[in-house]
Every structure is written in structure tokens, then in C-alpha cells.
Amino acid sequence: MPKKSDSPLIETIGLYKSYFNEDLETPVLFDINLKIANGEFVAIMGPSGSGKSTLMHILGFLDAPTKGHYHFKGESTEEKSEDELSRIRAESVSFVFQSFNLLPRTSVFDNVMLPLLYGNTPPADRRALTLKAIESVGLSDRATFYTNQLSGGQQQRVAIARALVTEPQVIFADEPTGNLDSSSGKHVMEILQNLHKEGHTIILVTHERTTAEHAERIIHIQDGKIFSDDRDFTRHIASQITHLK
């Protein structure tokens, strides 16, 4: 289990988010106060429309809050330029989405290597990093296959490898099992658990209880607010079962 730091990796203070269409304001998030330590595996859970994906987009620098504060690695993000935020996003975070977002008539290798082409990775290092990421998800024997030749579960594993190739500090997984059968979904969650054990911070967004239960902490979002924050969820459930026996 990775060592947790006393200083939070991610912290939001009084965070609000609204979207505006002319004079119409649509509030989405309300007074979100949240701390996530380096090395945690956190599930953000809630029904469709609860605001959980919006929160993930803000934490992953894909969107900005309307009001409030967001600190990443102890630094305020409010006054950083778009270029600075883009650099943080490229160097520190990666995403895995429900729809995979892979290039179809392109090899597994080239899909996984793609993020390295937009960074500062020396060309000499790209091949080794790409092969390492592909191996970590158990697809070394599929590296030359086109992604449209793979099953859904294999495609999601390619997406995870692509997220890993830049060696990010945080991996955001947005409904990563949503398009998969139960067996493939279980395999994907096992991979995310292994990445957590290796020291990655995993932030999982899902509406499914069975998927969320793979995390060590579940944050419930309801109507744009934090409804509950359950730490060490699995251990809590086990203790309740023992108590009832």
C-alpha cells in the first residue's frame, strides 16, 4: 500500500460550478470541500446528473470552478495561466473514459505512444515507455494489432496503458467499466487496483456500487453536493457483517 502524505495532493475549498447560457444560470456543484491524499484510491459515486463528472473535469484541469479554491500539490490553481494548467494536466494527470477514445485503424502500440508525441519525451525513450505501459495491462502480445481487432475489455486496457505511458501522478477513470461485460469490467478494475498498489492516485467516477466498492474510499455526490464520504469502505462493511453474526 502506498504511503500517504499528510499534505493533500488535491484540495477543494468552497468550490462551486455553474454553467451559463445567456442569462440562464445552471448550478451544478455546491460548496465542495474535499481532500485527497497522494496514493489514495477514491470513487466518486452518484446518479446521472449529480455533478460527479463535472467535479472530475475540474480536478483534472479540463474545466474551472465558478467560485471557490482548488489546490493541487499544495499550490493554488486560480492564478495559473492556461499554459501552466495545460502543462500540469500533461505531466501529472491522465484519463480513462467509458468510450475508450482510441484511434481505430491504428495499432495498440501507436495508440499508447500518442501522448508522448505531444510532450517533451525524447524519441529514444518513447518505445521503451510504450512497451512498458502495454506490458503493465497484459497486452504485449497484441501490441501490433489494430485496436478495432480487439474486444471491448482489451480496448479499455489499451486506454489504461495510454493513460499510464506518461507516468502520471493521478489517473482519472470515468465510468471505465460502463461499456464492458462483467468479466471484462472485473479485469479492468483489478488493473486499476494494481496501479493503486504501485503508488498511483486513482480517482474513479461511477454510478455503479459494485464498481465503486473496489476503492478504499467512496465519496457520494447527490444534487451537486457531497452527501457522504466513506473511508475504508470495505473494512467498514466487513466489520458490520461481523457484528451481525
Side-chain angles (χ1 to χ4, degrees):
M1 190 65 63
K3 184 179 180 180
K4 308 297 191 301
S5 170
D6 292 335
S7 177
L9 175 66
I10 286 172
E11 182 177 15
T12 67
I13 305 168
L15 189 147
Y16 289 78
K17 179 64 182 180
S18 293
Y19 291 103
F20 297 88
N21 184 6
E22 296 181 351
D23 294 330
L24 178 64
E25 178 182 1
T26 304
V28 180
L29 295 174
F30 304 87
D31 196 24
I32 301 294
N33 296 285
L34 176 65
K35 292 181 181 180
I36 297 176
N38 186 38
E40 277 197 277
F41 188 167
V42 178
I44 300 175
M45 184 181 174
S48 297
S50 61
K52 60 186 185 299
S53 290
T54 299
L55 178 58
M56 184 201 77
H57 290 163
I58 292 173
L59 299 182
F61 306 98
L62 296 176
D63 203 348
T66 306
K67 186 172 66 172
H69 308 280
Y70 175 28
H71 294 179
F72 184 76
K73 293 200 285 190
E75 294 186 3
S76 173
T77 62
E78 294 165 57
E79 298 181 1
K80 292 188 180 296
S81 67
E82 286 298 321
D83 286 345
E84 288 175 312
L85 293 175
S86 295
R87 179 182 55 77
I88 294 171
R89 184 170 61 244
E91 293 178 355
S92 298
V93 307
S94 285
F95 300 88
V96 178
F97 295 103
Q98 178 178 348
S99 56
F100 315 146
N101 294 339
L102 301 175
L103 301 176
R105 295 184 179 179
T106 308
S107 71
V108 167
F109 183 92
D110 287 340
N111 266 278
V112 173
M113 185 174 64
L114 189 61
L116 299 179
L117 301 179
Y118 298 100
N120 298 318
T121 306
D125 296 336
R126 292 172 188 165
R127 178 177 174 81
L129 287 170
T130 301
L131 291 175
K132 177 184 176 183
I134 293 172
E135 181 182 8
S136 71
V137 298
L139 287 176
S140 295
D141 61 339
R142 296 289 190 272
T144 60
F145 283 46
Y146 287 169
T147 53
N148 56 350
Q149 296 176 306
L150 305 179
S151 67
Q154 289 172 330
Q155 289 185 55
Q156 190 60 293
R157 285 154 63 189
V158 175
I160 293 173
R162 184 184 57 192
L164 277 176
V165 75
T166 57
E167 300 185 326
Q169 193 164 3
V170 188
I171 298 173
F172 292 93
D174 191 2
E175 301 282 7
T177 63
N179 286 337
L180 305 179
D181 59 56
S182 59
S183 177
S184 297
K186 181 180 178 182
H187 193 178
V188 164
M189 293 311 302
E190 288 172 352
I191 290 173
L192 290 177
Q193 284 182 316
N194 287 336
L195 294 175
H196 165 237
K197 291 175 183 176
E198 292 171 5
H200 291 280
T201 303
I202 310 292
I203 299 178
L204 168 71
V205 172
T206 183
H207 68 278
E208 297 177 341
R209 165 65 70 176
T210 54
T211 301
E213 287 174 358
H214 287 83
E216 62 183 358
R217 175 183 173 194
I218 300 179
I219 298 169
H220 297 258
I221 300 288
Q222 185 171 310
D223 298 325
K225 302 176 182 178
I226 294 180
F227 179 73
S228 65
D229 187 346
D230 302 326
R231 295 176 181 272
D232 298 318
F233 179 82
T234 304
R235 200 156 51 236
H236 171 72
I237 292 298
S239 67
Q240 293 299 309
I241 293 172
T242 301
H243 177 71
L244 292 172
K245 287 181 178 179

mmCIF file of all heavy atoms in Angstrom, residues 15-20 25-32 49-55 58 63 66 221-226:
data_model
loop_
_atom_site.group_PDB
_atom_site.id
_atom_site.type_symbol
_atom_site.label_atom_id
_atom_site.label_comp_id
_atom_site.label_asym_id
_atom_site.label_seq_id
_atom_site.Cartn_x
_atom_site.Cartn_y
_atom_site.Cartn_z
ATOM 1 N N LEU A 15 -15.946 25.023 -3.268
ATOM 2 C CA LEU A 15 -15.948 25.019 -4.737
ATOM 3 C C LEU A 15 -17.375 24.952 -5.271
ATOM 4 O O LEU A 15 -18.174 24.105 -4.875
ATOM 5 C CB LEU A 15 -15.114 23.839 -5.243
ATOM 6 C CG LEU A 15 -14.811 23.761 -6.725
ATOM 7 C CD1 LEU A 15 -13.442 23.130 -6.942
ATOM 8 C CD2 LEU A 15 -15.864 22.938 -7.455
ATOM 9 N N TYR A 16 -17.685 25.860 -6.191
ATOM 10 C CA TYR A 16 -18.985 25.899 -6.876
ATOM 11 C C TYR A 16 -18.755 25.860 -8.384
ATOM 12 O O TYR A 16 -17.737 26.339 -8.885
ATOM 13 C CB TYR A 16 -19.749 27.185 -6.546
ATOM 14 C CG TYR A 16 -20.277 27.275 -5.139
ATOM 15 C CD1 TYR A 16 -19.424 27.599 -4.084
ATOM 16 C CD2 TYR A 16 -21.624 27.058 -4.862
ATOM 17 C CE1 TYR A 16 -19.898 27.703 -2.781
ATOM 18 C CE2 TYR A 16 -22.116 27.167 -3.559
ATOM 19 C CZ TYR A 16 -21.249 27.486 -2.533
ATOM 20 O OH TYR A 16 -21.725 27.590 -1.248
ATOM 21 N N LYS A 17 -19.748 25.318 -9.104
ATOM 22 C CA LYS A 17 -19.687 25.346 -10.558
ATOM 23 C C LYS A 17 -21.077 25.569 -11.129
ATOM 24 O O LYS A 17 -22.025 24.870 -10.767
ATOM 25 C CB LYS A 17 -19.117 24.031 -11.121
ATOM 26 C CG LYS A 17 -19.053 23.999 -12.651
ATOM 27 C CD LYS A 17 -18.104 25.046 -13.215
ATOM 28 C CE LYS A 17 -18.081 25.032 -14.735
ATOM 29 N NZ LYS A 17 -17.155 26.050 -15.284
ATOM 30 N N SER A 18 -21.183 26.568 -12.001
ATOM 31 C CA SER A 18 -22.415 26.822 -12.738
ATOM 32 C C SER A 18 -22.074 26.959 -14.214
ATOM 33 O O SER A 18 -20.959 27.349 -14.580
ATOM 34 C CB SER A 18 -23.088 28.119 -12.259
ATOM 35 O OG SER A 18 -23.566 27.998 -10.943
ATOM 36 N N TYR A 19 -23.042 26.643 -15.052
ATOM 37 C CA TYR A 19 -22.914 26.884 -16.487
ATOM 38 C C TYR A 19 -23.909 27.973 -16.869
ATOM 39 O O TYR A 19 -25.018 28.043 -16.327
ATOM 40 C CB TYR A 19 -23.163 25.602 -17.277
ATOM 41 C CG TYR A 19 -22.073 24.574 -17.082
ATOM 42 C CD1 TYR A 19 -22.275 23.475 -16.258
ATOM 43 C CD2 TYR A 19 -20.835 24.719 -17.699
ATOM 44 C CE1 TYR A 19 -21.261 22.535 -16.059
ATOM 45 C CE2 TYR A 19 -19.822 23.786 -17.511
ATOM 46 C CZ TYR A 19 -20.046 22.700 -16.691
ATOM 47 O OH TYR A 19 -19.046 21.786 -16.490
ATOM 48 N N PHE A 20 -23.509 28.825 -17.807
ATOM 49 C CA PHE A 20 -24.326 29.970 -18.189
ATOM 50 C C PHE A 20 -24.659 29.914 -19.668
ATOM 51 O O PHE A 20 -23.792 29.655 -20.506
ATOM 52 C CB PHE A 20 -23.591 31.277 -17.875
ATOM 53 C CG PHE A 20 -23.316 31.483 -16.406
ATOM 54 C CD1 PHE A 20 -22.160 30.978 -15.823
ATOM 55 C CD2 PHE A 20 -24.218 32.165 -15.612
ATOM 56 C CE1 PHE A 20 -21.906 31.162 -14.473
ATOM 57 C CE2 PHE A 20 -23.969 32.351 -14.255
ATOM 58 C CZ PHE A 20 -22.814 31.850 -13.685
ATOM 59 N N GLU A 25 -28.603 30.675 -15.668
ATOM 60 C CA GLU A 25 -27.558 30.005 -14.900
ATOM 61 C C GLU A 25 -28.036 28.624 -14.484
ATOM 62 O O GLU A 25 -29.134 28.463 -13.950
ATOM 63 C CB GLU A 25 -27.196 30.801 -13.647
ATOM 64 C CG GLU A 25 -26.143 30.112 -12.778
ATOM 65 C CD GLU A 25 -25.811 30.878 -11.509
ATOM 66 O OE1 GLU A 25 -26.420 31.943 -11.280
ATOM 67 O OE2 GLU A 25 -24.947 30.397 -10.746
ATOM 68 N N THR A 26 -27.194 27.610 -14.738
ATOM 69 C CA THR A 26 -27.496 26.248 -14.301
ATOM 70 C C THR A 26 -26.446 25.816 -13.291
ATOM 71 O O THR A 26 -25.330 25.454 -13.650
ATOM 72 C CB THR A 26 -27.504 25.276 -15.499
ATOM 73 O OG1 THR A 26 -28.424 25.725 -16.486
ATOM 74 C CG2 THR A 26 -27.897 23.870 -15.041
ATOM 75 N N PRO A 27 -26.779 25.854 -11.989
ATOM 76 C CA PRO A 27 -25.818 25.411 -10.967
ATOM 77 C C PRO A 27 -25.627 23.894 -11.030
ATOM 78 O O PRO A 27 -26.589 23.147 -11.212
ATOM 79 C CB PRO A 27 -26.485 25.825 -9.649
ATOM 80 C CG PRO A 27 -27.605 26.745 -10.029
ATOM 81 C CD PRO A 27 -28.022 26.341 -11.395
ATOM 82 N N VAL A 28 -24.377 23.452 -10.860
ATOM 83 C CA VAL A 28 -24.071 22.019 -10.944
ATOM 84 C C VAL A 28 -23.415 21.520 -9.659
ATOM 85 O O VAL A 28 -23.763 20.452 -9.161
ATOM 86 C CB VAL A 28 -23.148 21.728 -12.148
ATOM 87 C CG1 VAL A 28 -22.831 20.242 -12.237
ATOM 88 C CG2 VAL A 28 -23.796 22.195 -13.446
ATOM 89 N N LEU A 29 -22.473 22.279 -9.104
ATOM 90 C CA LEU A 29 -21.784 21.884 -7.877
ATOM 91 C C LEU A 29 -21.939 22.971 -6.825
ATOM 92 O O LEU A 29 -21.894 24.169 -7.152
ATOM 93 C CB LEU A 29 -20.297 21.637 -8.145
ATOM 94 C CG LEU A 29 -19.930 20.475 -9.072
ATOM 95 C CD1 LEU A 29 -18.428 20.471 -9.340
ATOM 96 C CD2 LEU A 29 -20.382 19.145 -8.495
ATOM 97 N N PHE A 30 -22.085 22.543 -5.561
ATOM 98 C CA PHE A 30 -22.346 23.473 -4.472
ATOM 99 C C PHE A 30 -21.405 23.200 -3.297
ATOM 100 O O PHE A 30 -21.437 22.119 -2.711
ATOM 101 C CB PHE A 30 -23.791 23.322 -3.973
ATOM 102 C CG PHE A 30 -24.838 23.501 -5.037
ATOM 103 C CD1 PHE A 30 -25.235 22.417 -5.812
ATOM 104 C CD2 PHE A 30 -25.430 24.737 -5.265
ATOM 105 C CE1 PHE A 30 -26.201 22.561 -6.785
ATOM 106 C CE2 PHE A 30 -26.399 24.888 -6.232
ATOM 107 C CZ PHE A 30 -26.793 23.802 -7.003
ATOM 108 N N ASP A 31 -20.547 24.151 -2.982
ATOM 109 C CA ASP A 31 -19.754 24.133 -1.754
ATOM 110 C C ASP A 31 -19.041 22.792 -1.533
ATOM 111 O O ASP A 31 -19.199 22.140 -0.504
ATOM 112 C CB ASP A 31 -20.655 24.449 -0.553
ATOM 113 C CG ASP A 31 -19.853 24.826 0.690
ATOM 114 O OD1 ASP A 31 -18.697 25.277 0.532
ATOM 115 O OD2 ASP A 31 -20.380 24.654 1.806
ATOM 116 N N ILE A 32 -18.233 22.401 -2.517
ATOM 117 C CA ILE A 32 -17.493 21.143 -2.429
ATOM 118 C C ILE A 32 -16.204 21.365 -1.652
ATOM 119 O O ILE A 32 -15.325 22.125 -2.064
ATOM 120 C CB ILE A 32 -17.173 20.595 -3.837
ATOM 121 C CG1 ILE A 32 -18.451 20.354 -4.635
ATOM 122 C CG2 ILE A 32 -16.334 19.323 -3.735
ATOM 123 C CD1 ILE A 32 -19.349 19.271 -4.094
ATOM 124 N N GLY A 49 -26.308 13.084 -13.677
ATOM 125 C CA GLY A 49 -26.734 14.439 -13.396
ATOM 126 C C GLY A 49 -26.400 14.937 -12.009
ATOM 127 O O GLY A 49 -26.747 16.064 -11.650
ATOM 128 N N SER A 50 -25.688 14.130 -11.228
ATOM 129 C CA SER A 50 -25.372 14.526 -9.850
ATOM 130 C C SER A 50 -24.222 15.521 -9.767
ATOM 131 O O SER A 50 -24.031 16.173 -8.744
ATOM 132 C CB SER A 50 -25.034 13.296 -9.006
ATOM 133 O OG SER A 50 -23.888 12.623 -9.534
ATOM 134 N N GLY A 51 -23.419 15.629 -10.829
ATOM 135 C CA GLY A 51 -22.275 16.544 -10.842
ATOM 136 C C GLY A 51 -20.932 15.862 -10.689
ATOM 137 O O GLY A 51 -19.895 16.520 -10.673
ATOM 138 N N LYS A 52 -20.936 14.522 -10.638
ATOM 139 C CA LYS A 52 -19.669 13.817 -10.378
ATOM 140 C C LYS A 52 -18.673 13.965 -11.532
ATOM 141 O O LYS A 52 -17.476 14.132 -11.296
ATOM 142 C CB LYS A 52 -19.933 12.334 -10.092
ATOM 143 C CG LYS A 52 -20.609 11.550 -11.184
ATOM 144 C CD LYS A 52 -20.943 10.142 -10.729
ATOM 145 C CE LYS A 52 -21.519 9.302 -11.865
ATOM 146 N NZ LYS A 52 -22.785 9.875 -12.398
ATOM 147 N N SER A 53 -19.153 13.929 -12.774
ATOM 148 C CA SER A 53 -18.235 14.089 -13.912
ATOM 149 C C SER A 53 -17.731 15.520 -14.008
ATOM 150 O O SER A 53 -16.570 15.757 -14.357
ATOM 151 C CB SER A 53 -18.920 13.671 -15.213
ATOM 152 O OG SER A 53 -19.121 12.275 -15.246
ATOM 153 N N THR A 54 -18.581 16.482 -13.686
ATOM 154 C CA THR A 54 -18.141 17.884 -13.662
ATOM 155 C C THR A 54 -17.035 18.070 -12.637
ATOM 156 O O THR A 54 -16.036 18.748 -12.899
ATOM 157 C CB THR A 54 -19.327 18.808 -13.337
ATOM 158 O OG1 THR A 54 -20.330 18.671 -14.352
ATOM 159 C CG2 THR A 54 -18.881 20.256 -13.260
ATOM 160 N N LEU A 55 -17.193 17.458 -11.468
ATOM 161 C CA LEU A 55 -16.150 17.542 -10.447
ATOM 162 C C LEU A 55 -14.859 16.925 -10.951
ATOM 163 O O LEU A 55 -13.770 17.493 -10.759
ATOM 164 C CB LEU A 55 -16.615 16.850 -9.169
ATOM 165 C CG LEU A 55 -15.607 16.811 -8.013
ATOM 166 C CD1 LEU A 55 -15.170 18.211 -7.611
ATOM 167 C CD2 LEU A 55 -16.198 16.072 -6.812
ATOM 168 N N ILE A 58 -13.071 19.270 -13.301
ATOM 169 C CA ILE A 58 -12.385 20.364 -12.602
ATOM 170 C C ILE A 58 -11.094 19.866 -11.949
ATOM 171 O O ILE A 58 -10.035 20.483 -12.082
ATOM 172 C CB ILE A 58 -13.316 21.003 -11.562
ATOM 173 C CG1 ILE A 58 -14.462 21.736 -12.265
ATOM 174 C CG2 ILE A 58 -12.540 21.975 -10.662
ATOM 175 C CD1 ILE A 58 -15.536 22.256 -11.335
ATOM 176 N N ASP A 63 -11.805 21.671 -16.802
ATOM 177 C CA ASP A 63 -12.792 22.723 -16.565
ATOM 178 C C ASP A 63 -12.321 23.523 -15.351
ATOM 179 O O ASP A 63 -11.380 23.119 -14.657
ATOM 180 C CB ASP A 63 -14.175 22.106 -16.321
ATOM 181 C CG ASP A 63 -15.316 23.074 -16.627
ATOM 182 O OD1 ASP A 63 -15.043 24.284 -16.810
ATOM 183 O OD2 ASP A 63 -16.479 22.626 -16.673
ATOM 184 N N THR A 66 -16.512 27.909 -10.909
ATOM 185 C CA THR A 66 -17.075 29.255 -10.989
ATOM 186 C C THR A 66 -16.660 30.083 -9.783
ATOM 187 O O THR A 66 -16.406 31.284 -9.875
ATOM 188 C CB THR A 66 -18.615 29.182 -11.055
ATOM 189 O OG1 THR A 66 -19.002 28.328 -12.130
ATOM 190 C CG2 THR A 66 -19.220 30.556 -11.255
ATOM 191 N N ILE A 221 -21.881 11.844 -4.335
ATOM 192 C CA ILE A 221 -22.344 13.148 -4.791
ATOM 193 C C ILE A 221 -23.837 13.039 -5.092
ATOM 194 O O ILE A 221 -24.274 12.115 -5.795
ATOM 195 C CB ILE A 221 -21.595 13.605 -6.053
ATOM 196 C CG1 ILE A 221 -20.093 13.712 -5.796
ATOM 197 C CG2 ILE A 221 -22.151 14.939 -6.564
ATOM 198 C CD1 ILE A 221 -19.686 14.858 -4.930
ATOM 199 N N GLN A 222 -24.607 13.981 -4.573
ATOM 200 C CA GLN A 222 -26.041 13.988 -4.832
ATOM 201 C C GLN A 222 -26.501 15.431 -4.996
ATOM 202 O O GLN A 222 -26.244 16.269 -4.137
ATOM 203 C CB GLN A 222 -26.793 13.317 -3.676
ATOM 204 C CG GLN A 222 -28.292 13.166 -3.901
ATOM 205 C CD GLN A 222 -28.929 12.310 -2.828
ATOM 206 O OE1 GLN A 222 -28.449 11.207 -2.533
ATOM 207 N NE2 GLN A 222 -29.998 12.808 -2.236
ATOM 208 N N ASP A 223 -27.143 15.715 -6.130
ATOM 209 C CA ASP A 223 -27.632 17.067 -6.423
ATOM 210 C C ASP A 223 -26.534 18.109 -6.286
ATOM 211 O O ASP A 223 -26.757 19.216 -5.780
ATOM 212 C CB ASP A 223 -28.805 17.427 -5.501
ATOM 213 C CG ASP A 223 -30.000 16.498 -5.687
ATOM 214 O OD1 ASP A 223 -30.228 16.067 -6.837
ATOM 215 O OD2 ASP A 223 -30.682 16.201 -4.700
ATOM 216 N N GLY A 224 -25.322 17.741 -6.726
ATOM 217 C CA GLY A 224 -24.214 18.689 -6.739
ATOM 218 C C GLY A 224 -23.514 18.907 -5.422
ATOM 219 O O GLY A 224 -22.647 19.779 -5.311
ATOM 220 N N LYS A 225 -23.879 18.133 -4.394
ATOM 221 C CA LYS A 225 -23.272 18.287 -3.077
ATOM 222 C C LYS A 225 -22.678 16.966 -2.614
ATOM 223 O O LYS A 225 -23.117 15.895 -3.053
ATOM 224 C CB LYS A 225 -24.313 18.747 -2.058
ATOM 225 C CG LYS A 225 -24.995 20.060 -2.411
ATOM 226 C CD LYS A 225 -26.089 20.382 -1.395
ATOM 227 C CE LYS A 225 -26.813 21.675 -1.767
ATOM 228 N NZ LYS A 225 -27.912 21.987 -0.812
ATOM 229 N N ILE A 226 -21.679 17.025 -1.738
ATOM 230 C CA ILE A 226 -21.141 15.807 -1.124
ATOM 231 C C ILE A 226 -22.142 15.326 -0.082
ATOM 232 O O ILE A 226 -22.399 16.002 0.919
ATOM 233 C CB ILE A 226 -19.764 16.051 -0.502
ATOM 234 C CG1 ILE A 226 -18.733 16.368 -1.588
ATOM 235 C CG2 ILE A 226 -19.319 14.815 0.304
ATOM 236 C CD1 ILE A 226 -17.333 16.618 -1.065
#
